[in-house]
Amino acid sequence: MAEGAAEAPAESGGGGDSGASAPERGVAPIKPQYLTTKEQFHEFLEARGEEKPSQETEAGDPGGNDLVEPEAKRIRLEDGQTGEAAEPGEQPQVQKRARGQNKGRPHMKPTHYDNNRLCPSLVQESAAKCFFGDRCRFLHDVGRYLETKPSDLGPRCVLFETFGRCPYGVTCRFAGAHLGPDGQNLVREEWVQAPPVRNGLDKALQQLLRKRKVRFERAEQALRRLSRDRVPGPSPAAAVPKVTGAESAPGQDSGDTQQALPGPDAGALPSGSVWTRGPLTDEDVVRLRPCEKRKLDIHGKLYLAPLTTCGNLPFRRICKRFGADVTCGEMAVCTNLLQGQTSEWALLRRHQCEDVFGVQLEGAFPDTMTKCAELLNRTIEVDFVDINVGCPIDLVYKKGGGCALMNRSAKFQQIVRGMNQVLDVPLTVKIRTGVQERVNLAHRLLPELRDWGAALVTLHGRSREQRYTKLADWQYIEQCVTAASPMPLFGNGDILSYEDANRAMQTGVAGIMIARGALLKPWLFTEIKEQRHWDISSSERLAILQDFTRYGLEHWGSDTQGVEKTRRFLLEWLSFLCRYVPVGLLERLPQRINERPPYYLGRNYLETLMASQKAADWIRISEMLLGPVPPNFVFLPKHKANAYK
């Protein structure tokens, strides 16, 4: 699971006077001439930089509420506790500001996109009539659609300029760039090229997965071997659990009606019940030995962590441009992949610039994980497959996945060995120090993972219980390097500068994984490789956001739904970018990842705007790049304090 993408870190340190000379613990040391108060900060932004207020700052207010402390980070009082004793007859205290993870936000897709939506048969200019006929719930009148369609957001279409054709036609929010005089969709034949994205979901395969008609022969053989070789324990049936509901494995119907998976070079699935065509190769009858598998040589490389929500394909392209060597897709739930869910398969997509790329799977049972590994081994192109044993959130942990596998060693062993037997690419594992804060488990698991067949392990130097309340334990990671040898061990945690990276490499790890540091400053990879601090300007940072929006429109689409999806992922990323403090404003280098920025005025208006922790200001930045937000726009991020309505 992503570090920082699932929850906001609990930064250490309390409030203090903005004009205090002594640096506060947990607060970024900014030069005094840039410090300001909360009121002056927001007044400056509201005035849009027309008149810069005085740089002099006031002392903390007498009531004890520090003006420098961001409103979303004030120390929360316990339930029923107030700051001062309430006098008789006084009004009750105003309700406290919401904090923590926004678990109450809806987990459903917005439906307003379907209102007055044009039928896909017209968008794609298909010669055939709509398959649904009169039962189709979409519009078939282009003139009526254009009457309600919002105005274009700009004169240039990214998809048309990049690929020579925009597949969204008249529904594109930049349609003026590629619509002819009669409303036809123009195509530049000399520019037309296939999108440089791999690992898509074939429609025929999706139908077979939904009908549970895919046969997993190698996975079933591996599970039978694991069942026979299993150490005597509880019930024999526990080796391959028969589960129902979300964890039930597709493909448990009668073998006579199931389809075998195609080979890696097959263009489509077989139409018959058994795959019989083609020559018989050694791969069909001889299982690869561990020494014959592909090798994963990433020693000393910079590894971008799989970041849930924010680690999408456009963001990975940004990081690749700044020097990330290894990338990994967002955490994908194995049961959702086995059910053929389009949204889950989208997490496996790979851009052509990602030369070393892997996918991360999450699951709690050997049968679903092994079958999913076989499915991916035959259908997508990856350099490695990673098992998520570090996800701390309750939704995953209570089902037995993520960190819970560290306490379920029997199931953990079966998952690793089963997946390793069906994969032709290396298998890696990402773990934490343990589940409880003072009970480390990693040093005991690492030798076992080496024996089970893991090619590489990444260790995040925190426990599940600890989350982000303390710094990562790199001393413990150094001890684990010896326990894992000769298996390579990557370290992860609290890397935000090249000095942090250098100290991490001195522990003996084979390489470092970067998570939150990349969210705060994606140019961190360049800083590490060039061994310097980059005082990047606000205009350069805005150019990075412009590239992200362009990549987002390529990936999610240029129609209304694609534009708003790009905007929402941009806003999620801005919730991390606002915590970066420019190098030229710091009294002491480098900024540490557990130091929150106080209120400060940047060297120009844009730099100040990018430092705001209000969602309304993030919306303003997104409007610079993607045009105005639609009416009744609601942004419900993962953190309650940043909700925008």
Side-chain angles (χ1 to χ4, degrees):
M1 193 71 174
E3 284 70 16
E7 59 172 328
E11 315 281 8
S12 60
D17 296 343
S18 59
S21 58
E24 282 186 70
R25 183 182 179 186
V27 180
I30 294 179
K31 296 175 182 177
Q33 61 266 32
Y34 295 106
L35 292 173
T36 186
T37 63
K38 175 183 174 181
E39 285 74 11
Q40 287 180 324
F41 179 86
H42 291 299
E43 284 175 7
F44 177 71
L45 291 181
E46 290 300 325
R48 295 186 175 271
E50 295 176 1
E51 181 180 355
K52 195 167 184 178
S54 171
Q55 291 285 348
E56 296 180 2
T57 57
E58 302 176 2
D61 72 62
N65 289 329
D66 184 5
L67 296 177
V68 176
E69 182 74 2
E71 188 175 354
K73 298 293 183 182
R74 288 182 183 168
I75 300 175
R76 181 180 61 181
L77 299 176
E78 298 297 332
D79 292 339
Q81 181 183 356
T82 57
E84 298 178 358
E87 296 292 338
E90 276 191 0
Q91 293 294 329
Q93 201 172 22
V94 180
Q95 187 176 3
K96 294 170 291 189
R97 184 176 173 86
R99 294 168 52 92
Q101 190 174 357
N102 193 3
K103 296 181 179 179
R105 64 177 181 164
H107 294 277
M108 62 190 74
K109 295 181 180 179
T111 58
H112 62 271
Y113 297 123
D114 293 340
N115 298 333
N116 297 325
R117 184 175 175 183
L118 197 63
C119 179
S121 64
L122 294 177
V123 175
Q124 299 166 7
E125 298 180 343
S126 175
K129 292 184 178 180
C130 176
F131 175 79
F132 297 96
D134 295 336
R135 295 180 293 111
C136 183
R137 60 192 178 96
F138 299 124
L139 288 176
H140 287 77
D141 186 348
V142 177
R144 181 182 167 191
Y145 169 78
L146 291 176
E147 290 177 359
T148 59
K149 181 192 172 186
S151 59
D152 283 359
L153 297 175
R156 302 172 62 185
C157 175
V158 173
L159 291 169
F160 182 66
E161 293 182 351
T162 306
F163 305 114
R165 179 182 180 275
C166 178
Y168 296 93
V170 70
T171 63
C172 175
R173 295 300 304 276
F174 309 88
H178 51 77
L179 288 184
D182 298 328
Q184 73 275 20
N185 197 23
L186 301 180
V187 178
R188 294 189 177 180
E189 298 292 346
E190 66 276 9
W191 288 3
V192 172
Q193 56 176 315
V197 176
R198 290 172 282 176
N199 298 347
L201 175 59
D202 182 75
K203 289 294 183 183
L205 174 60
Q206 184 180 38
Q207 290 298 322
L208 292 175
L209 288 171
R210 288 176 173 177
K211 296 177 180 179
R212 299 190 177 187
K213 290 187 177 180
V214 176
R215 190 167 64 247
F216 302 94
E217 294 178 344
R218 293 179 64 181
E220 290 168 357
Q221 293 174 4
L223 290 168
R224 283 195 293 268
R225 282 193 295 267
L226 289 172
S227 180
R228 289 196 303 266
D229 301 340
R230 192 173 65 86
V231 178
S235 61
V240 186
K242 294 183 179 180
V243 293
T244 59
E247 289 293 344
S248 177
Q252 292 181 350
D253 296 14
S254 172
D256 297 336
T257 61
Q258 294 177 341
Q259 300 279 356
L261 286 171
D265 299 325
L269 284 171
S271 56
S273 60
V274 181
W275 181 264
T276 58
R277 293 177 293 176
L280 188 67
T281 64
D282 288 343
E283 185 182 356
D284 296 322
V285 294
V286 180
R287 192 158 47 94
L288 287 176
R289 293 178 300 195
C291 61
E292 297 172 331
K293 278 195 170 189
R294 301 180 199 171
K295 300 297 182 182
L296 183 64
D297 184 15
I298 56 174
H299 192 279
K301 302 289 187 181
L302 297 179
Y303 185 170
L304 174 64
L307 299 162
T308 301
T309 303
C310 292
N312 45 66
L313 187 143
F315 176 76
R316 298 199 303 269
R317 290 181 65 182
I318 294 290
C319 292
K320 282 296 295 183
R321 200 181 71 191
F322 282 112
D325 299 311
V326 184
T327 55
C328 187
E330 301 174 66
M331 181 190 77
V333 180
C334 66
T335 50
N336 295 342
L337 294 173
L338 290 171
Q339 292 166 6
Q341 292 187 14
T342 304
S343 59
E344 207 72 18
W345 277 81
L347 304 178
L348 310 180
R349 291 182 183 174
R350 173 184 188 174
H351 193 266
Q352 63 181 7
C353 71
E354 298 180 276
D355 47 352
V356 183
F357 174 77
V359 295
Q360 187 183 70
L361 299 181
E362 182 277 322
F365 297 98
D367 61 338
T368 52
M369 290 289 281
T370 305
K371 290 177 180 180
C372 188
E374 181 184 356
L375 175 65
L376 300 187
N377 189 64
R378 294 293 186 177
T379 55
I380 66 174
E381 298 179 27
V382 292
D383 298 295
F384 63 92
V385 174
D386 187 68
I387 304 176
N388 185 316
V389 195
C391 182
I393 65 172
D394 293 341
L395 183 66
V396 172
Y397 180 80
K398 290 181 179 179
K399 291 183 178 180
C403 281
L405 285 175
M406 299 186 72
N407 283 332
R408 304 170 69 223
S409 57
K411 289 287 186 289
F412 193 9
Q413 176 182 357
Q414 291 170 4
I415 288 173
V416 175
R417 285 187 166 175
M419 294 180 67
N420 197 39
Q421 289 180 26
V422 300
L423 284 172
D424 297 332
V425 296
L427 180 68
T428 66
V429 183
K430 187 173 187 294
I431 63 175
R432 288 179 177 253
T433 59
V435 177
Q436 297 176 333
E437 186 170 353
R438 293 180 178 83
V439 183
N440 290 331
L441 301 174
H443 64 284
R444 294 186 303 189
L445 284 172
L446 286 169
E448 295 179 340
L449 285 168
R450 179 187 60 211
D451 298 336
W452 296 344
L456 179 145
V457 174
T458 302
L459 176 58
H460 181 197
R462 290 184 176 88
S463 65
R464 174 187 184 263
E465 193 177 72
Q466 176 186 347
R467 297 291 176 97
Y468 294 96
T469 56
K470 295 181 182 178
L471 295 175
D473 190 351
W474 279 93
Q475 291 183 349
Y476 180 66
I477 293 177
E478 185 174 9
Q479 298 172 17
C480 291
V481 171
T482 305
S485 182
M487 179 182 65
L489 180 71
F490 268 56
N492 170 228
D494 299 341
I495 296 175
L496 191 60
S497 65
Y498 74 87
E499 291 100 330
D500 296 334
N502 293 343
R503 282 192 294 270
M505 291 301 296
Q506 291 172 5
T507 62
V509 293
I512 54 175
M513 174 184 281
I514 300 175
R516 284 185 301 160
L519 292 173
L520 268 65
K521 41 189 276 191
W523 54 91
L524 173 61
F525 301 98
T526 301
E527 291 188 348
I528 294 174
K529 290 189 173 181
E530 298 181 1
Q531 294 289 291
R532 67 182 178 94
H533 294 293
W534 185 355
D535 190 7
I536 188 168
S537 66
S538 57
S539 59
E540 290 175 310
R541 292 161 63 191
L542 185 64
I544 295 173
L545 298 178
Q546 289 173 334
D547 290 337
F548 177 85
T549 56
R550 188 172 72 252
Y551 298 156
L553 293 174
E554 288 182 22
H555 183 60
W556 291 301
S558 59
D559 60 344
T560 299
Q561 188 171 357
V563 169
E564 294 313 309
K565 188 174 290 188
T566 302
R567 188 191 305 275
R568 290 181 185 278
F569 281 107
L570 173 64
L571 293 173
E572 292 282 1
W573 186 22
L574 285 171
S575 69
F576 290 92
L577 283 174
C578 67
R579 305 207 307 254
Y580 167 74
V581 180
V583 171
L585 275 59
L586 290 170
E587 276 192 320
R588 182 253 309 147
L589 295 176
Q591 178 187 2
R592 298 191 177 95
I593 203 164
N594 65 324
E595 291 177 340
R596 58 167 177 78
Y599 283 102
Y600 66 90
L601 296 179
R603 291 165 289 191
N604 54 50
Y605 170 73
L606 183 58
E607 193 168 73
T608 307
L609 180 64
M610 289 182 170
S612 175
Q613 297 187 23
K614 287 182 62 176
D617 292 323
W618 307 337
I619 298 286
R620 193 183 303 178
I621 295 174
S622 76
E623 290 179 329
M624 296 179 184
L625 307 168
L626 290 167
V629 297
N632 302 323
F633 179 80
V634 177
F635 174 53
L636 296 174
K638 291 197 171 185
H639 316 305
K640 292 180 181 178
N642 297 329
Y644 172 88
K645 296 183 180 180

